[in-house]
């Protein structure tokens, strides 16, 4: 087969093009923030930030260093705002991921339709009876579903 005509390559290229058009600057920013927020470095930076904040406000540098005395109202507000923004960035990334999954599902459907059409034409060229083939497919599907159901149901 000519490598230039590989259907998988065509599908991947089409998928990448669709995804590239879906992803704007705001999406890239949201992805970058979400990706960083999901790392241990993010956790370490925050642990250090909280420790320094609390130490300073407990008087580590004396009364001059205290700018947010216990119960750390400013720290609480900043952390709450950060949580709001981070959850929004995560939701933006999840929404775009859901849109990507929809594109993939559409492309999978198109691929399946192409496969069926090609199979029907190849079967006809080979002189196969499509009704016989379909009957055998239905039998195999019924057997497969029965096996799956018997494996997932609890014994009585």
């Amino acid at each position: 087969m000519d490598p230039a005509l590989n259907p998988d390559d065509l599908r991947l290229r089409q998928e990448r093009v669709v995804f590239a058009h879906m992803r704007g600057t705001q999406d890239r920013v949201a992805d970058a923030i979400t990706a960083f927020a999901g790392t241990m470095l993010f956790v370490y930076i925050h642990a250090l930030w909280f420790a320094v904040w609390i130490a300073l406000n407990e008087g580590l540098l004396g009364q001059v260093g205290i700018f947010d005395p216990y119960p750390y109202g400013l720290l609480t507000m900043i952390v709450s705002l950060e949580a709001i923004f981070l959850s929004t960035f995560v939701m933006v990334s999840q929404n775009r991921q859901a849109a990507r999954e929809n594109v993939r599902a559409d492309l999978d459907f198109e691929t399946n339709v192409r496969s069926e059409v090609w199979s029907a034409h190849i079967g006809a060229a080979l002189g196969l009876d499509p009704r016989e083939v379909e009957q055998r497919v239905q039998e195999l599907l019924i057997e497969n579903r029965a096996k799956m159901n018997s494996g997932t149901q609890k014994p009585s």
Side-chain angles (χ1 to χ4, degrees), residues 9-119:
D9 289 343
L10 292 174
R11 179 173 181 227
L12 285 175
R13 263 186 256 133
Q14 183 181 4
E15 197 172 290
R16 286 187 195 117
V17 167
V18 171
F19 293 156
H21 287 294
M22 288 173 58
R23 193 169 187 228
T25 304
Q26 294 174 11
D27 292 324
R28 285 187 201 85
V29 170
D31 284 346
I33 291 170
T34 302
F36 176 66
T39 66
M40 287 306 295
L41 178 59
F42 181 82
V43 173
Y44 298 144
I45 289 170
H46 277 72
L48 179 64
W49 173 37
F50 296 150
V52 168
W53 188 288
I54 291 169
L56 286 174
N57 287 290
E58 285 298 317
L60 181 68
L61 300 177
Q63 291 297 324
V64 174
I66 298 175
F67 57 91
D68 184 25
Y70 183 83
Y72 317 118
L74 181 60
L75 178 63
T76 303
M77 183 187 70
I78 291 171
V79 171
S80 295
L81 288 172
E82 182 184 36
I84 291 167
F85 283 109
L86 282 176
S87 64
T88 302
F89 288 127
V90 168
M91 287 188 294
V92 167
S93 292
Q94 287 176 337
N95 288 343
R96 205 185 68 268
Q97 184 63 30
R100 286 180 71 152
E101 293 303 321
N102 287 339
V103 168
R104 284 193 175 125
D106 290 345
L107 292 172
D108 284 345
F109 177 75
E110 289 175 14
T111 300
N112 291 339
V113 170
R114 282 189 183 95
S115 295
E116 278 197 53
V117 170
W118 275 99
S119 296

